[in-house]
């Protein structure tokens, strides 16, 4: 399935209307299913249905299951495959203990909010998997400023449609994190939480979690859910182009993360963890 779609539309201005071709971001449902149990008694359960931009569906499913606390290591997953174009089956290893009560949630989540379907607020208050080192990694303010100049260049679907979110992963260990190879990976989706799940799912596949020396940049606002997912992946620095929510700031502070918002080419706000700025 394609991630963008062409449509004929009418562009209206003060002088009238004209028919033009527009590019839209594709939005389709994805059902995430797990297979679990012993070899003789395999079972399947739908964990979620999310509205997503078709592409990198395996990464999306793995990232979602990882940030939900269903899987933790590559050995937890036997295989990932499509049942059809909108259903992904993640077959878990036999030793994985599936807590069905903790997975109690509504099966439908909108593309704008991945936690809307949670059965209770308690279900999203997870304990992060990794302990972050205070003050590490260090990053300069000039490096942060340069981040804004890199985003649109790699956000292809956004430049075509204006309708997707993106998550970018940068490496702070390299001396020129925004030069050659500084950008490790970028994913886009109509759902901001999906874009980050795809990124974390990719890191899960690469077996490089925790991302303790990386910077996450999100193209929109920093919601509670995005900070929670970043904490689950061990990401110490989260930078948002938009505003953070109060719960996002609270969670970042509680987990020792550096949270930056309103990134511009010449200014940004530091909400928590300013000790990492060198």
């Amino acid at each position: 399935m394609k991630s963008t779609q062409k449509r004929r539309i009418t562009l209206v201005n003060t002088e009238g209307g004209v028919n033009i071709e527009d590019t839209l971001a594709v939005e389709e449902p994805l059902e995430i299913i797990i297979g679990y149990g012993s070899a003789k008694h395999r079972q399947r359960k739908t964990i979620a249905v999310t509205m997503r931009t078709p592409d990198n569906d395996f990464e999306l499913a793995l990232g979602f299951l990882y940030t939900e606390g269903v899987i933790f290591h590559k050995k937890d997953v036997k295989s990932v495959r499509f049942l059809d174009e909108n259903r992904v089956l993640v077959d878990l290893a036999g030793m994985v203990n599936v807590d069905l009560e903790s997975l109690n949630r509504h099966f439908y989540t909108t593309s704008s909010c991945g936690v809307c379907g949670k059965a209770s607020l308690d279900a999203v208050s997870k304990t992060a998997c990794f302990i972050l080192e205070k003050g590490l990694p260090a990053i300069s303010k000039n490096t942060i400023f340069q981040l804004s100049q890199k985003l649109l260049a790699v956000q292809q679907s956004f430049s075509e449609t204006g309708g997707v979110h993106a998550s970018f992963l940068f490496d702070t260990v390299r001396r020129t994190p925004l030069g050659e190879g500084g950008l490790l990976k970028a994913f886009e989706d109509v759902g901001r939480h999906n874009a980050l799940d795809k990124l974390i799912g990719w890191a899960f596949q690469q077996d490089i979690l925790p991302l303790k020396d990386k910077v996450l940049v999100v193209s929109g606002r920093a919601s509670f859910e995005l900070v929670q997912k970043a904490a689950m992946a061990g990401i110490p620095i989260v930078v948002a182009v938009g505003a953070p929510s109060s719960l996002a700031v609270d969670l970042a502070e509680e987990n020792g993360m550096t949270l930056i918002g309103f990134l511009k080419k010449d200014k940004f706000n530091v909400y928590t963890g300013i000790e990492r700025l060198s």
Side-chain angles (χ1 to χ4, degrees):
M1 296 178 68
K2 294 183 178 180
S3 60
T4 60
Q5 184 182 98
K6 300 291 186 181
R7 287 287 182 93
R8 297 297 299 179
I9 67 166
T10 302
L11 173 65
V12 179
N13 56 32
T14 56
E15 298 179 356
V18 59
N19 291 327
I20 64 170
E21 188 175 74
D22 193 26
T23 303
L24 305 179
V26 173
E27 185 174 34
E28 293 283 347
L30 179 69
E31 183 177 357
I32 300 173
I33 305 165
I34 59 170
Y36 64 99
S38 65
K40 291 184 178 180
H41 300 94
R42 297 297 289 176
Q43 300 181 65
R44 291 182 180 179
K45 180 177 177 62
T46 295
I47 300 302
V49 177
T50 185
M51 301 301 295
R52 99 299 191 189
T53 300
D55 200 8
N56 304 109
D57 288 332
F58 289 177
E59 288 90 341
L60 172 56
L62 291 172
F64 179 86
L65 293 175
Y66 179 84
T67 57
E68 288 294 308
V70 179
I71 57 177
F72 297 97
H73 309 285
K74 285 189 70 175
K75 65 182 180 181
D76 294 340
V77 178
K78 288 175 60 179
S79 65
V80 186
R81 61 186 174 92
F82 284 107
L83 297 180
D84 56 46
E85 64 182 15
N86 286 320
R87 294 194 301 157
V88 166
L89 173 65
V90 180
D91 223 0
L92 304 182
M95 73 281 193
V96 176
N97 182 27
V98 179
D99 185 354
L100 297 180
E101 277 300 313
S102 70
L103 297 179
N104 182 29
R105 61 177 291 153
H106 300 296
F107 288 161
Y108 179 82
T109 60
T110 69
S111 59
S112 61
C113 176
V115 295
C116 299
K118 294 289 186 180
S120 69
L121 284 176
D122 290 341
V124 301
S125 299
K126 295 184 182 298
T127 301
C129 298
F130 308 106
I131 303 299
L132 300 178
E133 295 184 65
K134 189 175 178 63
L136 294 175
I139 188 168
S140 72
K141 66 177 183 178
N142 289 334
T143 296
I144 299 295
F145 286 140
Q146 292 176 56
L147 288 170
S148 64
Q149 302 173 25
K150 289 287 182 177
L151 302 189
L152 286 179
V154 293
Q155 202 175 347
Q156 296 178 352
S157 294
F158 180 82
S159 62
E160 293 179 1
T161 69
V164 294
H165 297 277
S167 289
F168 308 88
L169 192 66
F170 290 89
D171 194 337
T172 65
V173 170
R174 305 177 192 187
R175 292 305 175 189
T176 56
L178 301 178
E180 285 293 319
L183 175 67
L184 295 181
K185 205 69 178 176
F187 288 95
E188 296 177 315
D189 200 278
V190 289
R192 58 174 59 89
H193 61 285
N194 289 340
L196 183 50
D197 276 338
K198 288 177 179 181
L199 185 62
I200 294 173
W202 168 81
F204 180 88
Q205 289 178 322
Q206 301 299 311
D207 202 18
I208 59 173
L209 293 166
L211 302 170
K212 61 182 180 179
D213 53 7
K214 307 297 187 287
V215 177
L216 169 68
V217 181
V218 295
S219 60
R221 64 185 180 89
S223 64
F224 168 84
E225 184 187 25
L226 294 187
V227 173
Q228 180 208 9
K229 289 178 181 293
M232 290 290 288
I235 300 173
I237 303 171
V238 177
V239 180
V241 172
S245 68
S246 61
L247 278 179
V249 174
D250 290 344
L251 186 64
E253 189 168 44
E254 180 181 326
N255 285 277
M257 302 167 70
T258 297
L259 179 59
I260 293 171
F262 290 110
L263 175 65
K264 301 290 189 289
K265 63 180 180 180
D266 58 352
K267 62 181 179 179
F268 55 82
N269 294 348
V270 182
Y271 293 89
T272 63
I274 195 171
E275 64 274 4
R276 286 195 177 90
L277 266 70
S278 58

